[in-house]
Amino acid sequence: MRPTLLACLPALALCISSPVLAANNVDQPNKNTGPIKSLAVDQKSDARYIVTTVPPESAMERFEMKDAQGRNIAYVAMTDGEVGGLVFVDNKLSGIVSKQDALAFYSCRGYTSATKYHWAKDANAWIEGLLAASQSATAVTLQFSGKSTWRSIVEVVNNPSLSQIGSLVDIGTNPFGILRKLNNARESMAERELFEKTRLRLMEVTTGTSEDKVAEIIKPEDVSFAVGGLVMAYPRFSIEYFIADGSVKAIQQPSFHFLSHKQAALFYVSNAKWDQCTPENWRNAFPVAPAVPAPVKAIEAK
């Protein structure tokens, strides 16, 4: 009986470990495909698909909102490649943003959220500035290296699906210890499945969704009350919603409310003119593009 049990357990371990590890990749539209190397965007592209398809290791932020004219504005900023960000108006590509402007837009809104109130309170003014800063474009191809940086969504978010996975490699040979480890793996997998289902439901929320509908998915993990609205934040799911008049007005990823209170250093840029971080002047906060160190060439040994 004992040899038979030990012979069956490794196969069972493989069956459990595979979906558990697959659940680590929580922000990709299709977990069955390999890493995305490039993404072609044109006037036929769906804004929400593009914004959510940019890999989290290459995305600095994503948001969606309606402006004062009732147009749906979607935006994604990149830490990877030559393009700083893409702006979509009413689901169509409208323009591209430079790397410097994307960083200034990100950092200044983070500074505002940390020192005054959540940036979405003045969302219309910020969006007007973003649209003015963007360069008109009808098509662009994004290139991704697969390398993450400290400002990318995947790096700034403490993803619970990465922190609670136990290794099944070093479980030993004791059959009772193995069974106990596999049992814990099953529980972890169930938690991961619930986490993923909840995350997908939160990602399906759009501007105009009622506050009640969002709360039905899961109660907010943190709330910030502001003049004219409130922020429902979900740091574990790297997303937040600005609520005004009972409905979602802006969707932000990652959660600026959380970062501005817990990891404000992620908005820091050396020698920035922080007093210029207003909806009207944010582009002047970083007048000179940050210097990029020249690559160090390897010296061949003679």
Side-chain angles (χ1 to χ4, degrees), residues 21-208:
L21 294 177
N24 290 349
N25 191 9
V26 299
D27 208 25
Q28 294 292 347
N30 188 346
K31 300 183 185 65
N32 296 322
T33 62
I36 298 175
K37 297 297 184 182
S38 65
L39 190 61
V41 187
D42 57 29
Q43 292 292 289
K44 295 181 181 180
S45 301
D46 178 78
R48 178 163 267 243
Y49 173 80
I50 297 298
V51 168
T52 56
T53 298
V54 172
E57 66 269 15
S58 299
M60 182 161 58
E61 68 165 312
R62 305 162 173 158
F63 73 72
E64 178 183 346
M65 62 163 289
K66 287 192 180 296
D67 68 1
Q69 302 177 43
R71 299 177 300 178
N72 194 68
I73 309 296
Y75 174 71
V76 57
M78 270 74 69
T79 58
D80 200 4
E82 299 298 322
V83 177
L86 298 181
V87 183
F88 297 83
V89 177
D90 284 339
N91 206 43
K92 288 188 177 182
L93 177 65
S94 171
I96 60 175
V97 177
S98 70
K99 300 288 282 189
Q100 179 170 323
D101 282 343
L103 178 58
F105 191 64
Y106 176 88
S107 292
C108 277
R109 285 160 43 244
Y111 166 81
T112 297
S113 298
T115 60
K116 299 177 184 178
Y117 45 75
H118 195 275
W119 73 270
K121 179 181 179 295
D122 296 326
N124 286 320
W126 285 103
I127 294 306
E128 287 179 7
L130 179 66
L131 291 173
S134 66
Q135 178 183 353
S136 180
T138 56
V140 64
T141 299
L142 305 176
Q143 302 291 340
F144 307 117
S145 67
K147 298 179 181 179
S148 185
T149 72
W150 74 299
R151 278 197 177 91
S152 63
I153 291 176
V154 77
E155 288 290 339
V156 303
V157 175
N158 181 20
N159 192 330
S161 68
L162 299 177
S163 62
Q164 299 176 12
I165 303 300
S167 173
L168 293 175
V169 177
D170 57 346
I171 57 179
T173 58
N174 185 300
F176 298 103
I178 293 173
L179 287 174
R180 186 162 50 248
K181 189 71 174 180
L182 294 178
N183 224 23
N184 292 337
R186 288 193 193 95
E187 293 178 2
S188 295
M189 184 171 65
E191 291 174 2
R192 297 288 67 74
E193 289 177 350
L194 177 60
F195 176 89
E196 177 66 1
K197 289 178 181 178
T198 304
R199 186 192 69 82
L200 290 174
R201 291 184 65 191
L202 288 173
M203 291 293 288
E204 290 173 355
V205 172
T206 60
T207 54

Side-chain angles (χ1 to χ4, degrees), residues 194-268:
L194 177 60
F195 176 89
E196 177 66 1
K197 289 178 181 178
T198 304
R199 186 192 69 82
L200 290 174
R201 291 184 65 191
L202 288 173
M203 291 293 288
E204 290 173 355
V205 172
T206 60
T207 54
T209 300
S210 70
E211 178 183 342
D212 289 344
K213 291 293 183 182
V214 179
E216 283 177 5
I217 298 173
I218 184 173
K219 297 295 184 189
E221 297 171 347
D222 199 359
V223 171
S224 175
F225 297 98
V227 177
L230 63 90
V231 179
M232 297 175 66
Y234 299 88
R236 283 194 308 135
F237 299 91
S238 75
I239 201 165
E240 69 182 18
Y241 308 95
F242 185 78
I243 309 292
D245 300 323
S247 65
V248 175
K249 301 301 181 185
I251 303 169
Q252 171 73 49
Q253 187 183 31
S255 171
F256 270 35
H257 167 70
F258 175 77
L259 294 183
S260 64
H261 290 83
K262 303 294 184 182
Q263 300 182 43
L266 289 163
F267 301 114
Y268 172 76

